[in-house]
Amino acid sequence: MNVADNLRILPATSGAMDWFPLWGNVNVLHTCRSIGLPILLIASVAGCKQPPASRYTPDTESARRGRDAIERVGCAACHEIPGIHWPQGRTGPSLVGFDDFGPIAGSLPNTPENLAAFVRNAPAAKPGSTMPAMPLSEDEARDVAAYLYGLDDE
Amino acid sequence: MSSASSDIFDAWWGWPPPVLDPAGPYAENVVVLAWALIGMGVVVTAIVVAALYVAIKGPARWKAKLGGEKAVWIGGIALPGVVLTTLLVWGLTLTASLTEPVPENAMRVRVTGYMWWFEVEYLDADGDVIIRDANELHLPVGEPVVVELASEDVIHSFWVPNLSGKEDMIPGRMNELVIQADRAGRYGGVCAEYCGGPHALMGFVTVAHGRADWNAWVAGRRGSPTEVADQDSPGVVPAITPPVAQETAPGGLSGRQVFMDSGCGACHRVAGTEANGLVGPDLTHVGSRLTLGAGILPNNRGTMIGWIGDSQSIKPGNRMPSYDMLSAEELEAIAIWLERQR
């Protein structure tokens, strides 16, 4: 068993801070890796740890970019989105399971194309929508749709 | 995941701040010291491990030497005494620059910690506030800036790892910290002292501007706030331009009216309006801020709506109630109005 495995099973380093966005990112870890294993060991005790693995692993590159775009523009400020640990806003509807049933926003056929158009400019895709247009490029919108569409509800 | 994350990191607002990547002379000293201490830690650990190995598995002659009085005097007293004293003196010399008096004419900013955000006030030569802002600190590149650190409630700590060491913000007391950025860019900051529930979601952004850019920023902020009229005023550019942003609130609602009627002005100030509250962050220029919720969310219309509508689900325990009694149209109207406060 290597050192990293040991660290991951320590109760103090698993779970307690999963919701905290800083620990989900890896820049601190880059630093740790670059200065070698002994330092990694010391630094891990001081708070570095492997980012928690998401329960949802997007299967395509597009979906991975989509998840990054979701984090960058902050979709989760209003929506609970599977695979996004924080935030889980409640102003908009939860997106858990939305891809498995029903039309998008209650009115659009549930297709990736419609979803991409909707996440980029909701009021245009569905007049009267509460959701505002979001600062996403067309490519990013397609990536976001790929991520949301690829969710597999467990 | 790592490359994608760095992309976000570059495009975003500098979280998490890299702690060993100094962008100015004050942070550089701290990083040198940090590496020296880490290096010493490694060396001492290696010596202890080696001694332990010898003590357990080494040849008898070595074991005897290791347990002898001489070894205790040299390895246990003389060596740590000399090494620690040297490190202490050198470390104090290195970090003395962090608290040294700075030139009288240095720019001064007062940053006050609140549960759970930062108020930022730019001071003139007389110590009067000339610009009031929140959760965002703008600096000219290459100049030392004196940050006066205060707290309104509990002990917080101000830390921009790229620019300096950390310094506590203590109620009833003013600490001073000098920071300097030698390259333009955005540097993430955090509260580095546990201050209550949402402590971990108390961040801010430091933006270092080149000279010309800096002058333009100050001129923009010192002038009367950009048009703060209602949404039917023409020619106002929204904060981040989404593909085709709606320019008017749904149902012809007045965002300004909803803002005032909902009592937002009791806590928030918007210069040029009757909103005059000082409990929460000043919103006079909120539309031009990079983040919402004290450095934690990107600032766009969607996140603004989400924050107003249910800030408690985003930052549990923060002092702003969730305005979930407002209708979707009212939330959107406020967001549209606020993003014009630039």
Side-chain angles (χ1 to χ4, degrees), chain B residues 5-327:
Chain B
S5 289
S6 331
D7 292 346
I8 291 184
F9 175 75
D10 293 339
W12 220 355
W13 55 83
W15 268 32
V19 295
L20 295 173
D21 179 22
Y26 298 97
E28 219 152 86
N29 285 351
V30 176
V31 170
V32 168
L33 187 63
W35 279 118
L37 293 181
I38 290 169
M40 282 306 298
V42 170
V43 170
V44 169
T45 306
I47 292 174
V48 170
V49 169
L52 201 59
Y53 182 83
V54 169
I56 295 169
K57 297 205 159 184
R61 200 166 57 87
W62 287 26
K63 283 187 183 178
K65 267 198 172 163
L66 201 60
E69 197 173 324
K70 203 168 147 195
V72 174
W73 274 109
I74 294 174
I77 295 170
L79 189 67
V82 170
V83 168
L84 292 179
T85 309
T86 311
L87 265 183
L88 178 69
V89 172
W90 178 65
L92 289 177
T93 317
L94 203 59
T95 51
S97 66
L98 300 184
T99 50
E100 260 171 15
V102 289
E104 279 298 309
N105 55 2
M107 171 182 148
R108 296 182 85 84
V109 185
R110 185 182 304 136
V111 180
T112 308
Y114 285 77
M115 293 157 104
W116 288 267
W117 57 282
F118 295 90
E119 178 174 60
V120 180
E121 293 166 313
Y122 298 79
L123 309 177
D124 65 10
D126 301 327
D128 294 329
V129 176
I130 48 173
I131 303 171
R132 186 173 278 125
D133 205 345
N135 303 322
E136 211 163 281
L137 176 57
H138 293 257
L139 314 168
V141 158
E143 290 176 29
V145 173
V146 185
V147 187
E148 298 182 354
L149 298 167
S151 171
E152 190 63 22
D153 34 51
V154 300
I155 297 176
H156 302 275
S157 181
F158 177 91
W159 192 28
V160 187
N162 293 104
L163 304 184
S164 192
K166 58 187 94 163
E167 181 80 51
D168 279 4
M169 311 169 107
I170 299 170
R173 181 191 157 88
M174 192 190 76
N175 285 338
E176 282 190 358
L177 182 71
V178 188
I179 67 176
Q180 178 174 333
D182 285 341
R183 4 179 247 266
R186 296 176 190 174
Y187 305 101
V190 291
C191 175
E193 172 88 31
Y194 182 73
C195 57
H199 155 72
L201 296 175
M202 181 178 172
F204 60 100
V205 188
T206 306
V207 184
H209 299 268
R211 220 341 123 177
D213 197 20
W214 165 251
N215 290 341
W217 185 85
V218 173
R221 283 300 169 90
R222 288 204 69 171
S224 56
T226 331
E227 182 56 25
V228 291
D230 222 329
Q231 52 263 11
D232 44 15
S233 66
V236 183
V237 186
I240 294 174
T241 316
V244 195
Q246 269 172 283
E247 284 304 300
T248 51
L253 277 173
S254 159
R256 174 179 173 145
Q257 198 59 47
V258 181
F259 183 90
M260 300 305 166
D261 291 350
S262 308
C264 307
C267 294
H268 294 289
R269 177 175 170 271
V270 180
T273 76
E274 61 268 39
N276 217 8
L278 294 174
V279 176
D282 193 303
L283 298 182
T284 306
H285 300 286
V286 69
S288 61
R289 278 189 206 139
L290 297 165
T291 67
L292 291 181
I296 59 170
L297 284 177
N299 183 4
N300 59 53
R301 192 177 297 173
T303 53
M304 180 70 90
I305 291 173
W307 177 260
I308 302 167
D310 194 5
S311 69
Q312 291 298 326
S313 69
I314 297 170
K315 187 165 173 172
N318 89 85
R319 294 274 162 95
M320 172 160 157
S322 291
Y323 282 80
D324 48 7
M325 76 297 281
L326 295 179
S327 71

Side-chain angles (χ1 to χ4, degrees), chain A residues 19 144 150:
Chain A
W19 58 277
V144 169

